[in-house]
Amino acid sequence: MLVIGLGRFGIALAQQLVDQGQEVLAVDRQRSLAQKHAEAFTHTVEADATDIEALRQLGATEFDAAVVGVGTSIESSVLIAANLVDLGVSQVWAKAINPTHGKILTRIGCHHVIYPEHDAGVRAAHLVSGKMMDFIKFDDDFAIVKMYPPKVLQGKTIEESQPRKRHHVNVVGVKPPGQDFVYAQPETRIRPGDTIVVSGDVRHLEWFADHV
């Protein structure tokens, strides 16, 4: 995996990829950052990725996927993403700092646009209310939430409480205290101390967490 830009986002992403067993070529135009993280990733290189020839010399064409983590300069971000697209990298991911930036990245052919600050803010807003333990939103307002079971589920099986029919959400998994998560089955009984994973439309999940 090619990761360009060693800001907080790029470093965290590259480190997670390494932890997952992937080889990472990390690139930054600042020598100090490249030197600071020289031992953290598989390879760390000082280079100006806005120069397409520099990317060719780094072997960018040999990568199936690349991530542009540059966020301080929209111009640099767009140039780097355009270079990667022109070089034929099959999956180009790029961080966007606002919708206009993201629109430009999409128009030049970037395959995936990420809004880490916006997504983190949305997630935090759902967590600070105290109703949800974790919140992950996907496309089309679909989300998965970890939460404690509301009273309407406690002491009942999934079949008895019928959350999908009555509340338009699906209980996907259940974790009794001190045990692992298990897939929820119709006969699965939910108890007050359990943790549950629920999926559905964001509006239904918010209502479910607040009103039942």
Side-chain angles (χ1 to χ4, degrees):
M1 177 74 73
L2 175 61
V3 177
I4 301 173
L6 292 178
R8 289 190 297 271
F9 172 77
I11 292 170
L13 184 141
Q15 186 59 64
Q16 182 60 40
L17 290 170
V18 170
D19 291 345
Q20 293 173 194
Q22 296 196 40
E23 293 190 358
V24 173
L25 171 58
V27 179
D28 198 281
R29 69 192 304 174
Q30 294 187 37
R31 178 174 299 180
S32 59
L33 286 175
Q35 292 177 340
K36 180 179 179 180
H37 301 286
E39 304 299 325
F41 314 121
T42 313
H43 302 285
T44 306
V45 178
E46 174 200 352
D48 183 1
T50 62
D51 182 352
I52 195 169
E53 292 303 322
L55 286 175
R56 281 199 179 95
Q57 293 177 14
L58 290 174
T61 56
E62 300 175 11
F63 289 87
D64 293 326
V67 180
V68 182
V70 176
T72 55
S73 170
I74 292 179
E75 181 181 0
S76 294
S77 168
V78 171
L79 284 173
I80 294 167
N83 286 341
L84 293 168
V85 171
D86 290 344
L87 289 173
V89 178
S90 57
Q91 294 294 320
V92 178
W93 298 70
K95 169 187 173 181
I97 60 176
N98 56 49
T100 300
H101 184 193
K103 185 180 294 186
I104 296 171
L105 289 168
T106 300
R107 286 182 175 176
I108 64 173
C110 192
H111 308 97
H112 307 277
V113 178
I114 310 162
Y115 298 87
E117 286 85 0
H118 173 269
D119 294 346
V122 170
R123 179 175 178 270
H126 284 87
L127 300 184
V128 296
S129 67
K131 303 293 185 179
M132 302 176 183
M133 302 165 64
D134 205 352
F135 176 92
I136 303 173
K137 183 180 177 182
F138 299 89
D139 291 337
D140 302 323
D141 289 328
F142 180 85
I144 295 178
V145 171
K146 182 168 73 172
M147 60 185 290
Y148 291 116
K151 292 183 178 180
V152 293
L153 301 185
Q154 296 176 15
K156 300 177 182 179
T157 65
I158 301 294
E159 187 173 19
E160 291 169 343
S161 59
Q162 298 186 30
R164 182 173 184 178
K165 180 178 180 180
R166 295 176 179 173
H167 308 294
H168 309 290
V169 299
N170 293 314
V171 178
V172 180
V174 180
K175 183 183 185 302
Q179 301 182 35
D180 295 331
F181 270 103
V182 296
Y183 288 109
Q185 305 293 335
E187 65 274 12
T188 301
R189 189 173 300 277
I190 299 176
R191 294 174 171 79
D194 291 346
T195 302
I196 62 174
V197 174
V198 189
S199 66
D201 182 89
V202 171
R203 293 169 299 173
H204 292 146
L205 290 169
E206 290 172 343
W207 190 94
F208 184 67
D210 288 337
H211 294 88
V212 299

